[in-house]
Amino acid sequence: MKLEEQLQQRSDNKCELCGAEETLKMYDVAPRSGDGPDSTILICDTCRAQVDRKAELDSKHWNCLTTAMWSEVPGVQVVAWRMLHRLKSESWAMESLDMMFLDEETLAWAQATGDHDNDDAVELHKDCNGNVLQNGDSVTLIKSLDVKGSTLNAKMGTVVKNIRLVEDNTEQIEGKIEGQLIVILTKYVRKQS
């Protein structure tokens, strides 16, 4: 039986964190990826985005951890423990952490990435007005920009369609202007509605 089929059977085709039934995908719990069903869990896109810090933490969504933390699956326990730590400013999360028990090996695994030490802050790509940018958005330049290594001058008011977010830098996006792919600083763009 394939790993994905094992996870679907184990979870009854539901997110192993929140119980959602849509857009389920396998998630390797770092740093022990590839160890089989104990280190891989099935989660929804909403949980994945917040676990990976690609979306703001929604503490109401994570109330599901009060149930998920009791899972017998080590990978689920590890993610629940990490997320409860990120939400420890909430009284219910602190109470859950006080009740939760992990054996030494699982606790060491949960602490290995250091993710639990970080606060709930999320680094998102935002335009000059603080609006969150997504892949595929259209933006308008708020300043004329000279493109390095080119004679191209991108004029203020130019619309850049179908942008891509630069993965490792929240201050940069990529877009095409006059057929040329360029990197643009997010502080010089305004998201179009």
Side-chain angles (χ1 to χ4, degrees), residues 11 15 181:
S11 68
C15 174
L181 183 66

Side-chain angles (χ1 to χ4, degrees), residues 11-86:
S11 68
D12 196 26
N13 284 319
K14 294 180 182 170
C15 174
E16 293 187 86
L17 297 174
C18 74
E21 297 180 11
E22 305 86 36
T23 63
L24 300 176
K25 294 184 181 109
M26 294 192 314
Y27 182 80
D28 283 331
V29 182
R32 288 178 48 184
S33 62
D35 280 357
D38 282 350
S39 66
T40 306
I41 62 176
L42 200 62
I43 62 175
C44 66
D45 284 345
T46 303
C47 286
R48 174 185 227 105
Q50 293 180 50
V51 167
D52 287 343
R53 297 177 187 267
K54 303 285 185 201
E56 297 281 347
L57 270 184
D58 175 3
S59 63
K60 288 181 181 154
H61 174 81
W62 290 108
N63 278 321
C64 61
L65 294 176
T66 57
T67 305
M69 67 186 233
W70 301 112
S71 171
E72 294 181 12
V73 178
V76 175
Q77 294 172 356
V78 166
V79 174
W81 186 87
R82 289 175 182 168
M83 294 308 294
L84 285 168
H85 266 274
R86 284 176 46 194

Side-chain angles (χ1 to χ4, degrees), residues 2-191:
K2 287 183 180 176
L3 179 59
E4 188 168 10
E5 291 170 354
Q6 288 177 322
L7 298 180
Q8 289 168 345
Q9 188 175 34
R10 175 179 80 196
S11 68
D12 196 26
N13 284 319
K14 294 180 182 170
C15 174
E16 293 187 86
L17 297 174
C18 74
E21 297 180 11
E22 305 86 36
T23 63
L24 300 176
K25 294 184 181 109
M26 294 192 314
Y27 182 80
D28 283 331
V29 182
R32 288 178 48 184
S33 62
D35 280 357
D38 282 350
S39 66
T40 306
I41 62 176
L42 200 62
I43 62 175
C44 66
D45 284 345
T46 303
C47 286
R48 174 185 227 105
Q50 293 180 50
V51 167
D52 287 343
R53 297 177 187 267
K54 303 285 185 201
E56 297 281 347
L57 270 184
D58 175 3
S59 63
K60 288 181 181 154
H61 174 81
W62 290 108
N63 278 321
C64 61
L65 294 176
T66 57
T67 305
M69 67 186 233
W70 301 112
S71 171
E72 294 181 12
V73 178
V76 175
Q77 294 172 356
V78 166
V79 174
W81 186 87
R82 289 175 182 168
M83 294 308 294
L84 285 168
H85 266 274
R86 284 176 46 194
L87 291 159
K88 62 185 169 192
S89 62
E90 302 280 336
S91 60
W92 64 267
M94 216 42 216
E95 289 170 11
S96 296
L97 274 172
D98 288 342
M99 289 188 285
M100 192 171 187
F101 172 79
L102 299 179
D103 61 51
E104 285 183 34
E105 182 183 343
T106 307
L107 181 60
W109 175 17
Q111 294 171 332
T113 61
D115 188 42
H116 67 286
D117 290 333
N118 300 327
D119 61 9
D120 62 352
V122 177
E123 295 293 320
L124 299 172
H125 288 75
K126 294 184 179 182
D127 72 359
C128 64
N129 295 325
N131 298 313
V132 176
L133 298 171
Q134 302 286 339
N135 283 318
D137 283 347
S138 293
V139 295
T140 304
L141 298 181
I142 62 164
K143 177 182 176 180
S144 293
L145 304 172
D146 289 324
V147 179
K148 291 182 181 177
S150 168
T151 57
L152 180 65
N153 181 294
K155 303 280 186 225
M156 181 172 83
T158 300
V159 175
V160 182
K161 296 181 180 179
N162 199 23
I163 64 165
R164 285 190 321 188
L165 306 179
V166 173
E167 195 69 29
D168 298 331
N169 190 338
T170 58
E171 296 178 5
Q172 296 178 344
I173 59 171
E174 293 179 338
K176 283 190 176 183
I177 296 180
E178 294 182 20
Q180 187 174 349
L181 183 66
I182 64 169
V183 174
I184 308 166
L185 295 178
T186 56
K187 65 183 179 181
Y188 297 132
V189 300
R190 184 181 64 244
K191 183 176 181 175

